Amino acid sequence: MKTRNDVFATIEKLCRDLAQNPDSWENPTLERYLEAMGRWLEDSSKKNPQPPSWEFIIQMLEAAKIYE
């Protein structure tokens, strides 16, 4: 079972990988990364209709906008 700590560790890993290997990323900018994430979410919802807690995801995204 994946945990919140696993998500945090993945984000840290992605940040390090982007800093060290930007040429290996198809979406190296925030705009492109978020657009790709949106497309992936849309496509994956067609394959797996069981949604995660969208409220949590929305709260996380909104908090990240102003969190220092």
Side-chain angles (χ1 to χ4, degrees):
M1 177 176 193
K2 299 292 182 183
T3 66
R4 208 179 290 211
N5 288 337
D6 293 329
V7 174
F8 181 69
T10 299
I11 292 169
E12 287 183 322
K13 179 182 170 188
L14 289 168
C15 288
R16 283 191 308 272
D17 187 56
L18 180 59
Q20 296 170 355
N21 305 299
D23 293 337
S24 70
W25 282 59
E26 182 69 29
N27 302 303
T29 66
L30 180 59
E31 180 180 13
R32 287 177 58 185
Y33 182 79
L34 291 174
E35 287 174 356
M37 185 186 299
R39 286 190 304 269
W40 184 88
L41 284 169
E42 183 178 10
D43 291 344
S44 68
S45 68
K46 295 173 187 173
K47 297 175 187 172
N48 185 5
Q50 297 176 339
S53 169
W54 294 115
E55 180 178 335
F56 175 77
I57 293 170
I58 290 168
Q59 289 172 353
M60 178 182 67
L61 292 171
E62 290 176 347
K65 179 179 176 182
I66 59 171
Y67 190 78
E68 294 183 4

